[in-house]
Structures are given as C-alpha cells and as structure tokens.
Amino acid sequence: DMTKSSKHPLGGNAYLSLDDSEEPYKGGMKFNAMPPMKRFRDMEQLSGGEKTVAALALLFAIHSYHPAPFFVMDEVDAALDNINLLKVCNYIQQRSKSDCQCIVISLKDMFYERSDSLVGICKDVGTNSSRTMTLDLTQFDKGGTKENKKRGRRAVSEGGPPN
C-alpha cells in the first residue's frame, strides 16, 4: 500500500527467497524489491530512499501478519525525497489511527506537521538533568485559527512523562 499511487495503482513488488531451500535452517533469506515502474535489481543497486521504502514495506507487512503494539523509528526519513517522505508520513499516520502507535524520531518538518503530539527533551541547567516537554497537537485546528493557537499554548506540559 505504501508504494501505490494514482499513476501506479499496483505499487511495487518485493520478494523473499531462501538462500538454501534444501536446508532452510542453515541459510538466510534474500530480500529483493522492485519499485513501481522500475526493473528488477538487487537491493544493493537501489537508492537509499528506495531501500528505506522497501524496508518499511517489509516491516509493515510483517506487522500485518504478527502485530506489535508500537514502533520506534529513528530517522527513517533521512534518505527519503519529499515525494516518498509524504507517502511514508501518510502511511504511518493511517496505520497509527487503526492498529499501532508509532514514535518517530525525525528532523524533518513533514513528520512534525502530521503528528498528534510532539515530545521535546532538553537540559534543565538549574537541576543539571533532562526535562521533557510535550505538546498535544490534536487541540490545534489544521487551519491554524488565532483562537486555537491561544488555547494550544496551554497544551504544553513540562516534566514527567508525555501526556
């Protein structure tokens, strides 16, 4: 689903194959991906963004078979261009609403804009310790009206676990 689009309704393809089909417990597995409208190539020949999308597709396919309650993803967006970043953001947002929670560590604004909340960690110089700050973004209107912005300032909490 992650690689589907109006131009490519079938999306990409991926294949898992055993290194040793005679004695599968002695070998590993080979993962090959074919992005939409591209020819079959080894994973080593794919771009960083194509490898990232393929790895996330495999991760979520495994999740469909054996669900996990949440994911922690650390800068999975680093190698993605804006088009694939938008696809991944939308896919994670869609999946987060139905069957899992995702904690995404990112440096890109597109993930922040589509999240339900933000968690920041900073150093408290007075106590020489770390402090967390959370912001519940569900209280903000997507249009960003002035009234919602005023109310949203009160949604920031400091210290303790995230809300």
Side-chain angles (χ1 to χ4, degrees):
D1 289 342
M2 192 179 314
T3 60
K4 289 182 181 178
S5 68
S6 58
K7 289 182 180 179
H8 314 292
L10 298 178
N13 292 309
Y15 305 96
L16 285 173
S17 57
L18 295 171
D19 286 340
D20 185 353
S21 59
E22 296 292 321
E23 298 182 69
Y25 51 87
K26 286 189 173 181
M29 292 178 19
K30 182 86 169 159
F31 178 55
N32 292 304
M34 190 168 51
M37 302 302 292
K38 297 215 176 172
R39 62 184 174 82
F40 180 82
R41 294 184 284 178
D42 278 340
M43 289 297 286
E44 294 83 25
Q45 295 175 338
L46 297 178
S47 71
E50 290 169 335
K51 289 178 188 176
T52 299
V53 170
L56 288 172
L58 177 62
L59 176 73
F60 283 112
I62 293 169
H63 178 263
S64 295
Y65 174 73
H66 189 70
F70 68 92
F71 292 104
V72 177
M73 296 181 234
D74 188 5
E75 295 190 29
V76 294
D77 56 351
L80 298 175
D81 60 12
N82 286 339
I83 293 169
N84 284 320
L85 179 61
L86 180 61
K87 287 179 183 180
V88 169
C89 285
N90 288 338
Y91 188 79
I92 290 173
Q93 186 177 37
Q94 171 197 0
R95 292 295 293 261
S96 294
K97 289 180 181 177
S98 61
D99 62 356
C100 69
Q101 293 181 342
C102 294
I103 297 171
V104 180
I105 300 165
S106 175
L107 297 174
K108 297 195 178 179
D109 294 345
M110 198 175 296
F111 263 114
Y112 303 154
E113 293 167 359
R114 286 165 176 71
S115 64
D116 292 333
S117 62
L118 298 175
V119 178
I121 301 172
C122 61
K123 182 177 180 178
D124 185 344
V125 179
T127 61
N128 199 26
S129 62
S130 296
R131 179 175 210 111
T132 61
M133 298 182 355
T134 62
L135 177 61
D136 180 4
L137 298 177
T138 60
Q139 298 179 14
F140 291 93
D141 181 24
K142 292 286 182 191
T145 62
K146 226 177 198 180
E147 183 58 33
N148 284 336
K149 286 182 182 178
K150 284 180 186 176
R151 280 192 306 210
R153 281 192 204 121
R154 286 181 263 145
V156 175
S157 68
E158 294 185 27
N163 294 336

PDB file of all heavy atoms in Angstrom, residues 74-112:
ATOM      1  N   ASP A  74      13.724   5.602  14.261  1.00  0.00           N
ATOM      2  CA  ASP A  74      14.723   6.638  14.435  1.00  0.00           C
ATOM      3  C   ASP A  74      15.235   7.116  13.078  1.00  0.00           C
ATOM      4  O   ASP A  74      15.984   6.397  12.412  1.00  0.00           O
ATOM      5  CB  ASP A  74      15.874   6.117  15.294  1.00  0.00           C
ATOM      6  CG  ASP A  74      16.869   7.199  15.675  1.00  0.00           C
ATOM      7  OD1 ASP A  74      16.637   8.384  15.351  1.00  0.00           O
ATOM      8  OD2 ASP A  74      17.882   6.861  16.301  1.00  0.00           O
ATOM      9  N   GLU A  75      14.809   8.281  12.677  1.00  0.00           N
ATOM     10  CA  GLU A  75      15.230   8.945  11.444  1.00  0.00           C
ATOM     11  C   GLU A  75      15.118   8.043  10.209  1.00  0.00           C
ATOM     12  O   GLU A  75      16.012   7.999   9.376  1.00  0.00           O
ATOM     13  CB  GLU A  75      16.636   9.506  11.597  1.00  0.00           C
ATOM     14  CG  GLU A  75      16.696  10.614  12.635  1.00  0.00           C
ATOM     15  CD  GLU A  75      18.019  11.354  12.652  1.00  0.00           C
ATOM     16  OE1 GLU A  75      18.682  11.443  11.601  1.00  0.00           O
ATOM     17  OE2 GLU A  75      18.386  11.852  13.730  1.00  0.00           O
ATOM     18  N   VAL A  76      14.002   7.338  10.098  1.00  0.00           N
ATOM     19  CA  VAL A  76      13.771   6.502   8.917  1.00  0.00           C
ATOM     20  C   VAL A  76      13.592   7.347   7.665  1.00  0.00           C
ATOM     21  O   VAL A  76      13.664   6.846   6.556  1.00  0.00           O
ATOM     22  CB  VAL A  76      12.537   5.575   9.095  1.00  0.00           C
ATOM     23  CG1 VAL A  76      12.780   4.554  10.175  1.00  0.00           C
ATOM     24  CG2 VAL A  76      11.274   6.368   9.347  1.00  0.00           C
ATOM     25  N   ASP A  77      13.384   8.631   7.855  1.00  0.00           N
ATOM     26  CA  ASP A  77      13.148   9.543   6.739  1.00  0.00           C
ATOM     27  C   ASP A  77      14.416  10.175   6.184  1.00  0.00           C
ATOM     28  O   ASP A  77      14.363  10.943   5.229  1.00  0.00           O
ATOM     29  CB  ASP A  77      12.184  10.644   7.182  1.00  0.00           C
ATOM     30  CG  ASP A  77      12.680  11.389   8.411  1.00  0.00           C
ATOM     31  OD1 ASP A  77      13.668  10.961   9.031  1.00  0.00           O
ATOM     32  OD2 ASP A  77      12.062  12.404   8.761  1.00  0.00           O
ATOM     33  N   ALA A  78      15.573   9.860   6.724  1.00  0.00           N
ATOM     34  CA  ALA A  78      16.817  10.544   6.363  1.00  0.00           C
ATOM     35  C   ALA A  78      17.135  10.460   4.865  1.00  0.00           C
ATOM     36  O   ALA A  78      17.591  11.444   4.278  1.00  0.00           O
ATOM     37  CB  ALA A  78      17.977   9.995   7.187  1.00  0.00           C
ATOM     38  N   ALA A  79      16.911   9.324   4.238  1.00  0.00           N
ATOM     39  CA  ALA A  79      17.284   9.140   2.832  1.00  0.00           C
ATOM     40  C   ALA A  79      16.134   9.402   1.861  1.00  0.00           C
ATOM     41  O   ALA A  79      16.296   9.219   0.656  1.00  0.00           O
ATOM     42  CB  ALA A  79      17.810   7.718   2.629  1.00  0.00           C
ATOM     43  N   LEU A  80      14.976   9.832   2.371  1.00  0.00           N
ATOM     44  CA  LEU A  80      13.794   9.978   1.518  1.00  0.00           C
ATOM     45  C   LEU A  80      13.720  11.360   0.874  1.00  0.00           C
ATOM     46  O   LEU A  80      14.001  12.370   1.515  1.00  0.00           O
ATOM     47  CB  LEU A  80      12.520   9.737   2.327  1.00  0.00           C
ATOM     48  CG  LEU A  80      12.357   8.347   2.930  1.00  0.00           C
ATOM     49  CD1 LEU A  80      11.106   8.300   3.792  1.00  0.00           C
ATOM     50  CD2 LEU A  80      12.281   7.308   1.837  1.00  0.00           C
ATOM     51  N   ASP A  81      13.302  11.386  -0.396  1.00  0.00           N
ATOM     52  CA  ASP A  81      12.980  12.661  -1.024  1.00  0.00           C
ATOM     53  C   ASP A  81      11.584  13.075  -0.562  1.00  0.00           C
ATOM     54  O   ASP A  81      10.903  12.328   0.139  1.00  0.00           O
ATOM     55  CB  ASP A  81      13.059  12.558  -2.549  1.00  0.00           C
ATOM     56  CG  ASP A  81      12.107  11.518  -3.145  1.00  0.00           C
ATOM     57  OD1 ASP A  81      11.212  11.029  -2.424  1.00  0.00           O
ATOM     58  OD2 ASP A  81      12.240  11.203  -4.332  1.00  0.00           O
ATOM     59  N   ASN A  82      11.154  14.284  -0.912  1.00  0.00           N
ATOM     60  CA  ASN A  82       9.874  14.803  -0.397  1.00  0.00           C
ATOM     61  C   ASN A  82       8.670  13.981  -0.835  1.00  0.00           C
ATOM     62  O   ASN A  82       7.714  13.842  -0.081  1.00  0.00           O
ATOM     63  CB  ASN A  82       9.696  16.269  -0.792  1.00  0.00           C
ATOM     64  CG  ASN A  82      10.582  17.185   0.019  1.00  0.00           C
ATOM     65  OD1 ASN A  82      11.033  16.823   1.104  1.00  0.00           O
ATOM     66  ND2 ASN A  82      10.856  18.361  -0.503  1.00  0.00           N
ATOM     67  N   ILE A  83       8.694  13.435  -2.031  1.00  0.00           N
ATOM     68  CA  ILE A  83       7.553  12.646  -2.515  1.00  0.00           C
ATOM     69  C   ILE A  83       7.419  11.358  -1.689  1.00  0.00           C
ATOM     70  O   ILE A  83       6.340  11.031  -1.207  1.00  0.00           O
ATOM     71  CB  ILE A  83       7.705  12.329  -4.019  1.00  0.00           C
ATOM     72  CG1 ILE A  83       7.590  13.621  -4.824  1.00  0.00           C
ATOM     73  CG2 ILE A  83       6.669  11.307  -4.477  1.00  0.00           C
ATOM     74  CD1 ILE A  83       7.982  13.490  -6.277  1.00  0.00           C
ATOM     75  N   ASN A  84       8.530  10.641  -1.518  1.00  0.00           N
ATOM     76  CA  ASN A  84       8.474   9.412  -0.728  1.00  0.00           C
ATOM     77  C   ASN A  84       8.276   9.706   0.749  1.00  0.00           C
ATOM     78  O   ASN A  84       7.643   8.928   1.456  1.00  0.00           O
ATOM     79  CB  ASN A  84       9.732   8.566  -0.955  1.00  0.00           C
ATOM     80  CG  ASN A  84       9.688   7.856  -2.286  1.00  0.00           C
ATOM     81  OD1 ASN A  84       8.649   7.360  -2.701  1.00  0.00           O
ATOM     82  ND2 ASN A  84      10.814   7.812  -2.966  1.00  0.00           N
ATOM     83  N   LEU A  85       8.804  10.825   1.222  1.00  0.00           N
ATOM     84  CA  LEU A  85       8.582  11.223   2.609  1.00  0.00           C
ATOM     85  C   LEU A  85       7.098  11.433   2.872  1.00  0.00           C
ATOM     86  O   LEU A  85       6.568  10.970   3.883  1.00  0.00           O
ATOM     87  CB  LEU A  85       9.374  12.494   2.931  1.00  0.00           C
ATOM     88  CG  LEU A  85       9.218  13.052   4.339  1.00  0.00           C
ATOM     89  CD1 LEU A  85       9.690  12.041   5.369  1.00  0.00           C
ATOM     90  CD2 LEU A  85       9.991  14.344   4.471  1.00  0.00           C
ATOM     91  N   LEU A  86       6.414  12.087   1.956  1.00  0.00           N
ATOM     92  CA  LEU A  86       4.977  12.308   2.098  1.00  0.00           C
ATOM     93  C   LEU A  86       4.227  10.975   2.107  1.00  0.00           C
ATOM     94  O   LEU A  86       3.329  10.768   2.924  1.00  0.00           O
ATOM     95  CB  LEU A  86       4.458  13.201   0.968  1.00  0.00           C
ATOM     96  CG  LEU A  86       2.976  13.528   0.992  1.00  0.00           C
ATOM     97  CD1 LEU A  86       2.595  14.277   2.266  1.00  0.00           C
ATOM     98  CD2 LEU A  86       2.597  14.342  -0.238  1.00  0.00           C
ATOM     99  N   LYS A  87       4.615  10.048   1.242  1.00  0.00           N
ATOM    100  CA  LYS A  87       3.973   8.724   1.210  1.00  0.00           C
ATOM    101  C   LYS A  87       4.165   7.989   2.536  1.00  0.00           C
ATOM    102  O   LYS A  87       3.227   7.417   3.078  1.00  0.00           O
ATOM    103  CB  LYS A  87       4.539   7.879   0.067  1.00  0.00           C
ATOM    104  CG  LYS A  87       4.094   8.311  -1.301  1.00  0.00           C
ATOM    105  CD  LYS A  87       4.722   7.434  -2.362  1.00  0.00           C
ATOM    106  CE  LYS A  87       4.347   7.895  -3.757  1.00  0.00           C
ATOM    107  NZ  LYS A  87       4.956   7.057  -4.803  1.00  0.00           N
ATOM    108  N   VAL A  88       5.390   8.020   3.046  1.00  0.00           N
ATOM    109  CA  VAL A  88       5.679   7.329   4.302  1.00  0.00           C
ATOM    110  C   VAL A  88       4.931   7.992   5.457  1.00  0.00           C
ATOM    111  O   VAL A  88       4.346   7.312   6.297  1.00  0.00           O
ATOM    112  CB  VAL A  88       7.206   7.280   4.563  1.00  0.00           C
ATOM    113  CG1 VAL A  88       7.513   6.816   5.974  1.00  0.00           C
ATOM    114  CG2 VAL A  88       7.879   6.366   3.546  1.00  0.00           C
ATOM    115  N   CYS A  89       4.931   9.339   5.492  1.00  0.00           N
ATOM    116  CA  CYS A  89       4.198  10.064   6.548  1.00  0.00           C
ATOM    117  C   CYS A  89       2.722   9.695   6.534  1.00  0.00           C
ATOM    118  O   CYS A  89       2.144   9.384   7.579  1.00  0.00           O
ATOM    119  CB  CYS A  89       4.328  11.574   6.352  1.00  0.00           C
ATOM    120  SG  CYS A  89       5.908  12.261   6.798  1.00  0.00           S
ATOM    121  N   ASN A  90       2.118   9.738   5.368  1.00  0.00           N
ATOM    122  CA  ASN A  90       0.687   9.427   5.262  1.00  0.00           C
ATOM    123  C   ASN A  90       0.406   7.978   5.639  1.00  0.00           C
ATOM    124  O   ASN A  90      -0.591   7.689   6.302  1.00  0.00           O
ATOM    125  CB  ASN A  90       0.186   9.726   3.853  1.00  0.00           C
ATOM    126  CG  ASN A  90       0.104  11.206   3.581  1.00  0.00           C
ATOM    127  OD1 ASN A  90       0.031  12.031   4.492  1.00  0.00           O
ATOM    128  ND2 ASN A  90       0.156  11.573   2.314  1.00  0.00           N
ATOM    129  N   TYR A  91       1.281   7.074   5.233  1.00  0.00           N
ATOM    130  CA  TYR A  91       1.084   5.662   5.553  1.00  0.00           C
ATOM    131  C   TYR A  91       1.189   5.428   7.061  1.00  0.00           C
ATOM    132  O   TYR A  91       0.352   4.746   7.649  1.00  0.00           O
ATOM    133  CB  TYR A  91       2.098   4.807   4.799  1.00  0.00           C
ATOM    134  CG  TYR A  91       1.821   3.333   4.949  1.00  0.00           C
ATOM    135  CD1 TYR A  91       0.827   2.728   4.185  1.00  0.00           C
ATOM    136  CD2 TYR A  91       2.518   2.552   5.848  1.00  0.00           C
ATOM    137  CE1 TYR A  91       0.549   1.382   4.315  1.00  0.00           C
ATOM    138  CE2 TYR A  91       2.250   1.205   5.986  1.00  0.00           C
ATOM    139  CZ  TYR A  91       1.267   0.625   5.220  1.00  0.00           C
ATOM    140  OH  TYR A  91       0.988  -0.701   5.360  1.00  0.00           O
ATOM    141  N   ILE A  92       2.205   5.990   7.686  1.00  0.00           N
ATOM    142  CA  ILE A  92       2.368   5.827   9.139  1.00  0.00           C
ATOM    143  C   ILE A  92       1.199   6.464   9.873  1.00  0.00           C
ATOM    144  O   ILE A  92       0.675   5.900  10.831  1.00  0.00           O
ATOM    145  CB  ILE A  92       3.722   6.404   9.603  1.00  0.00           C
ATOM    146  CG1 ILE A  92       4.853   5.509   9.097  1.00  0.00           C
ATOM    147  CG2 ILE A  92       3.776   6.538  11.116  1.00  0.00           C
ATOM    148  CD1 ILE A  92       6.246   6.058   9.351  1.00  0.00           C
ATOM    149  N   GLN A  93       0.759   7.631   9.413  1.00  0.00           N
ATOM    150  CA  GLN A  93      -0.381   8.298  10.042  1.00  0.00           C
ATOM    151  C   GLN A  93      -1.638   7.440   9.922  1.00  0.00           C
ATOM    152  O   GLN A  93      -2.382   7.274  10.891  1.00  0.00           O
ATOM    153  CB  GLN A  93      -0.605   9.664   9.389  1.00  0.00           C
ATOM    154  CG  GLN A  93      -1.664  10.499  10.051  1.00  0.00           C
ATOM    155  CD  GLN A  93      -1.787  11.863   9.396  1.00  0.00           C
ATOM    156  OE1 GLN A  93      -1.662  12.000   8.186  1.00  0.00           O
ATOM    157  NE2 GLN A  93      -2.038  12.874  10.200  1.00  0.00           N
ATOM    158  N   GLN A  94      -1.865   6.857   8.762  1.00  0.00           N
ATOM    159  CA  GLN A  94      -3.032   5.994   8.543  1.00  0.00           C
ATOM    160  C   GLN A  94      -2.958   4.756   9.436  1.00  0.00           C
ATOM    161  O   GLN A  94      -3.944   4.394  10.089  1.00  0.00           O
ATOM    162  CB  GLN A  94      -3.084   5.573   7.071  1.00  0.00           C
ATOM    163  CG  GLN A  94      -4.114   4.516   6.755  1.00  0.00           C
ATOM    164  CD  GLN A  94      -3.854   3.855   5.412  1.00  0.00           C
ATOM    165  OE1 GLN A  94      -2.904   4.165   4.700  1.00  0.00           O
ATOM    166  NE2 GLN A  94      -4.697   2.905   5.068  1.00  0.00           N
ATOM    167  N   ARG A  95      -1.811   4.093   9.487  1.00  0.00           N
ATOM    168  CA  ARG A  95      -1.674   2.894  10.295  1.00  0.00           C
ATOM    169  C   ARG A  95      -1.775   3.200  11.790  1.00  0.00           C
ATOM    170  O   ARG A  95      -2.291   2.399  12.559  1.00  0.00           O
ATOM    171  CB  ARG A  95      -0.332   2.198  10.019  1.00  0.00           C
ATOM    172  CG  ARG A  95      -0.178   1.593   8.653  1.00  0.00           C
ATOM    173  CD  ARG A  95      -1.143   0.451   8.392  1.00  0.00           C
ATOM    174  NE  ARG A  95      -0.923  -0.710   9.196  1.00  0.00           N
ATOM    175  CZ  ARG A  95      -0.284  -1.801   8.822  1.00  0.00           C
ATOM    176  NH1 ARG A  95       0.208  -1.882   7.604  1.00  0.00           N
ATOM    177  NH2 ARG A  95      -0.141  -2.810   9.651  1.00  0.00           N
ATOM    178  N   SER A  96      -1.295   4.373  12.200  1.00  0.00           N
ATOM    179  CA  SER A  96      -1.336   4.754  13.612  1.00  0.00           C
ATOM    180  C   SER A  96      -2.759   4.957  14.109  1.00  0.00           C
ATOM    181  O   SER A  96      -3.030   4.801  15.291  1.00  0.00           O
ATOM    182  CB  SER A  96      -0.529   6.029  13.850  1.00  0.00           C
ATOM    183  OG  SER A  96       0.828   5.797  13.608  1.00  0.00           O
ATOM    184  N   LYS A  97      -3.652   5.299  13.227  1.00  0.00           N
ATOM    185  CA  LYS A  97      -5.042   5.509  13.628  1.00  0.00           C
ATOM    186  C   LYS A  97      -5.793   4.197  13.800  1.00  0.00           C
ATOM    187  O   LYS A  97      -6.807   4.153  14.479  1.00  0.00           O
ATOM    188  CB  LYS A  97      -5.759   6.383  12.605  1.00  0.00           C
ATOM    189  CG  LYS A  97      -5.283   7.813  12.637  1.00  0.00           C
ATOM    190  CD  LYS A  97      -5.993   8.656  11.621  1.00  0.00           C
ATOM    191  CE  LYS A  97      -5.452  10.077  11.698  1.00  0.00           C
ATOM    192  NZ  LYS A  97      -6.037  10.942  10.701  1.00  0.00           N
ATOM    193  N   SER A  98      -5.281   3.115  13.186  1.00  0.00           N
ATOM    194  CA  SER A  98      -6.052   1.878  13.215  1.00  0.00           C
ATOM    195  C   SER A  98      -5.440   0.766  14.064  1.00  0.00           C
ATOM    196  O   SER A  98      -6.145   0.135  14.831  1.00  0.00           O
ATOM    197  CB  SER A  98      -6.278   1.371  11.788  1.00  0.00           C
ATOM    198  OG  SER A  98      -5.027   1.101  11.169  1.00  0.00           O
ATOM    199  N   ASP A  99      -4.142   0.502  13.940  1.00  0.00           N
ATOM    200  CA  ASP A  99      -3.665  -0.719  14.588  1.00  0.00           C
ATOM    201  C   ASP A  99      -2.313  -0.655  15.296  1.00  0.00           C
ATOM    202  O   ASP A  99      -1.826  -1.680  15.754  1.00  0.00           O
ATOM    203  CB  ASP A  99      -3.651  -1.870  13.586  1.00  0.00           C
ATOM    204  CG  ASP A  99      -2.722  -1.631  12.414  1.00  0.00           C
ATOM    205  OD1 ASP A  99      -2.142  -0.541  12.317  1.00  0.00           O
ATOM    206  OD2 ASP A  99      -2.578  -2.547  11.592  1.00  0.00           O
ATOM    207  N   CYS A 100      -1.701   0.492  15.408  1.00  0.00           N
ATOM    208  CA  CYS A 100      -0.447   0.562  16.165  1.00  0.00           C
ATOM    209  C   CYS A 100      -0.122   2.014  16.505  1.00  0.00           C
ATOM    210  O   CYS A 100      -0.692   2.937  15.936  1.00  0.00           O
ATOM    211  CB  CYS A 100       0.713  -0.065  15.391  1.00  0.00           C
ATOM    212  SG  CYS A 100       1.220   0.870  13.949  1.00  0.00           S
ATOM    213  N   GLN A 101       0.795   2.182  17.438  1.00  0.00           N
ATOM    214  CA  GLN A 101       1.299   3.509  17.771  1.00  0.00           C
ATOM    215  C   GLN A 101       2.714   3.612  17.232  1.00  0.00           C
ATOM    216  O   GLN A 101       3.468   2.638  17.264  1.00  0.00           O
ATOM    217  CB  GLN A 101       1.318   3.730  19.277  1.00  0.00           C
ATOM    218  CG  GLN A 101      -0.039   3.791  19.907  1.00  0.00           C
ATOM    219  CD  GLN A 101       0.067   4.040  21.414  1.00  0.00           C
ATOM    220  OE1 GLN A 101       1.099   3.839  22.019  1.00  0.00           O
ATOM    221  NE2 GLN A 101      -1.032   4.478  21.993  1.00  0.00           N
ATOM    222  N   CYS A 102       3.074   4.780  16.758  1.00  0.00           N
ATOM    223  CA  CYS A 102       4.415   4.992  16.218  1.00  0.00           C
ATOM    224  C   CYS A 102       5.064   6.176  16.906  1.00  0.00           C
ATOM    225  O   CYS A 102       4.463   7.250  17.011  1.00  0.00           O
ATOM    226  CB  CYS A 102       4.361   5.259  14.720  1.00  0.00           C
ATOM    227  SG  CYS A 102       3.784   3.859  13.757  1.00  0.00           S
ATOM    228  N   ILE A 103       6.277   5.957  17.357  1.00  0.00           N
ATOM    229  CA  ILE A 103       7.110   7.038  17.855  1.00  0.00           C
ATOM    230  C   ILE A 103       8.171   7.244  16.794  1.00  0.00           C
ATOM    231  O   ILE A 103       8.948   6.323  16.500  1.00  0.00           O
ATOM    232  CB  ILE A 103       7.749   6.677  19.209  1.00  0.00           C
ATOM    233  CG1 ILE A 103       6.663   6.462  20.252  1.00  0.00           C
ATOM    234  CG2 ILE A 103       8.732   7.761  19.641  1.00  0.00           C
ATOM    235  CD1 ILE A 103       7.173   5.889  21.553  1.00  0.00           C
ATOM    236  N   VAL A 104       8.173   8.412  16.182  1.00  0.00           N
ATOM    237  CA  VAL A 104       9.097   8.687  15.089  1.00  0.00           C
ATOM    238  C   VAL A 104      10.046   9.789  15.518  1.00  0.00           C
ATOM    239  O   VAL A 104       9.616  10.877  15.904  1.00  0.00           O
ATOM    240  CB  VAL A 104       8.338   9.104  13.807  1.00  0.00           C
ATOM    241  CG1 VAL A 104       9.321   9.389  12.685  1.00  0.00           C
ATOM    242  CG2 VAL A 104       7.351   8.029  13.394  1.00  0.00           C
ATOM    243  N   ILE A 105      11.319   9.495  15.468  1.00  0.00           N
ATOM    244  CA  ILE A 105      12.352  10.495  15.724  1.00  0.00           C
ATOM    245  C   ILE A 105      12.763  11.022  14.360  1.00  0.00           C
ATOM    246  O   ILE A 105      13.202  10.249  13.499  1.00  0.00           O
ATOM    247  CB  ILE A 105      13.547   9.876  16.470  1.00  0.00           C
ATOM    248  CG1 ILE A 105      13.074   9.310  17.803  1.00  0.00           C
ATOM    249  CG2 ILE A 105      14.663  10.902  16.652  1.00  0.00           C
ATOM    250  CD1 ILE A 105      14.049   8.370  18.463  1.00  0.00           C
ATOM    251  N   SER A 106      12.595  12.311  14.148  1.00  0.00           N
ATOM    252  CA  SER A 106      12.820  12.879  12.830  1.00  0.00           C
ATOM    253  C   SER A 106      13.345  14.297  12.937  1.00  0.00           C
ATOM    254  O   SER A 106      13.106  14.984  13.935  1.00  0.00           O
ATOM    255  CB  SER A 106      11.501  12.882  12.045  1.00  0.00           C
ATOM    256  OG  SER A 106      11.677  13.528  10.808  1.00  0.00           O
ATOM    257  N   LEU A 107      14.029  14.740  11.911  1.00  0.00           N
ATOM    258  CA  LEU A 107      14.470  16.126  11.824  1.00  0.00           C
ATOM    259  C   LEU A 107      13.721  16.877  10.727  1.00  0.00           C
ATOM    260  O   LEU A 107      14.046  18.016  10.427  1.00  0.00           O
ATOM    261  CB  LEU A 107      15.985  16.178  11.545  1.00  0.00           C
ATOM    262  CG  LEU A 107      16.859  15.569  12.639  1.00  0.00           C
ATOM    263  CD1 LEU A 107      18.319  15.551  12.203  1.00  0.00           C
ATOM    264  CD2 LEU A 107      16.711  16.321  13.942  1.00  0.00           C
ATOM    265  N   LYS A 108      12.721  16.230  10.145  1.00  0.00           N
ATOM    266  CA  LYS A 108      12.012  16.834   9.014  1.00  0.00           C
ATOM    267  C   LYS A 108      10.634  17.334   9.435  1.00  0.00           C
ATOM    268  O   LYS A 108       9.883  16.649  10.111  1.00  0.00           O
ATOM    269  CB  LYS A 108      11.898  15.831   7.872  1.00  0.00           C
ATOM    270  CG  LYS A 108      13.284  15.444   7.360  1.00  0.00           C
ATOM    271  CD  LYS A 108      13.247  14.757   6.052  1.00  0.00           C
ATOM    272  CE  LYS A 108      14.665  14.461   5.597  1.00  0.00           C
ATOM    273  NZ  LYS A 108      14.703  13.760   4.339  1.00  0.00           N
ATOM    274  N   ASP A 109      10.320  18.551   8.996  1.00  0.00           N
ATOM    275  CA  ASP A 109       9.069  19.214   9.357  1.00  0.00           C
ATOM    276  C   ASP A 109       7.831  18.427   8.948  1.00  0.00           C
ATOM    277  O   ASP A 109       6.805  18.490   9.617  1.00  0.00           O
ATOM    278  CB  ASP A 109       8.985  20.607   8.720  1.00  0.00           C
ATOM    279  CG  ASP A 109      10.019  21.566   9.274  1.00  0.00           C
ATOM    280  OD1 ASP A 109      10.612  21.261  10.331  1.00  0.00           O
ATOM    281  OD2 ASP A 109      10.247  22.614   8.647  1.00  0.00           O
ATOM    282  N   MET A 110       7.915  17.695   7.853  1.00  0.00           N
ATOM    283  CA  MET A 110       6.738  16.995   7.351  1.00  0.00           C
ATOM    284  C   MET A 110       6.201  15.994   8.385  1.00  0.00           C
ATOM    285  O   MET A 110       4.993  15.826   8.512  1.00  0.00           O
ATOM    286  CB  MET A 110       7.054  16.295   6.038  1.00  0.00           C
ATOM    287  CG  MET A 110       5.822  15.933   5.255  1.00  0.00           C
ATOM    288  SD  MET A 110       6.169  15.240   3.627  1.00  0.00           S
ATOM    289  CE  MET A 110       6.955  16.593   2.782  1.00  0.00           C
ATOM    290  N   PHE A 111       7.077  15.342   9.127  1.00  0.00           N
ATOM    291  CA  PHE A 111       6.619  14.432  10.181  1.00  0.00           C
ATOM    292  C   PHE A 111       5.983  15.210  11.321  1.00  0.00           C
ATOM    293  O   PHE A 111       4.973  14.804  11.874  1.00  0.00           O
ATOM    294  CB  PHE A 111       7.767  13.571  10.722  1.00  0.00           C
ATOM    295  CG  PHE A 111       7.839  12.215  10.089  1.00  0.00           C
ATOM    296  CD1 PHE A 111       8.906  11.871   9.298  1.00  0.00           C
ATOM    297  CD2 PHE A 111       6.837  11.279  10.298  1.00  0.00           C
ATOM    298  CE1 PHE A 111       8.974  10.622   8.714  1.00  0.00           C
ATOM    299  CE2 PHE A 111       6.902  10.028   9.722  1.00  0.00           C
ATOM    300  CZ  PHE A 111       7.975   9.696   8.923  1.00  0.00           C
ATOM    301  N   TYR A 112       6.569  16.346  11.688  1.00  0.00           N
ATOM    302  CA  TYR A 112       6.005  17.158  12.774  1.00  0.00           C
ATOM    303  C   TYR A 112       4.603  17.622  12.430  1.00  0.00           C
ATOM    304  O   TYR A 112       3.705  17.605  13.258  1.00  0.00           O
ATOM    305  CB  TYR A 112       6.854  18.399  13.047  1.00  0.00           C
ATOM    306  CG  TYR A 112       8.304  18.151  13.380  1.00  0.00           C
ATOM    307  CD1 TYR A 112       9.262  19.112  13.124  1.00  0.00           C
ATOM    308  CD2 TYR A 112       8.731  16.963  13.967  1.00  0.00           C
ATOM    309  CE1 TYR A 112      10.596  18.904  13.438  1.00  0.00           C
ATOM    310  CE2 TYR A 112      10.059  16.750  14.285  1.00  0.00           C
ATOM    311  CZ  TYR A 112      10.979  17.728  14.017  1.00  0.00           C
ATOM    312  OH  TYR A 112      12.293  17.522  14.326  1.00  0.00           O
TER     313      TYR A 112
END
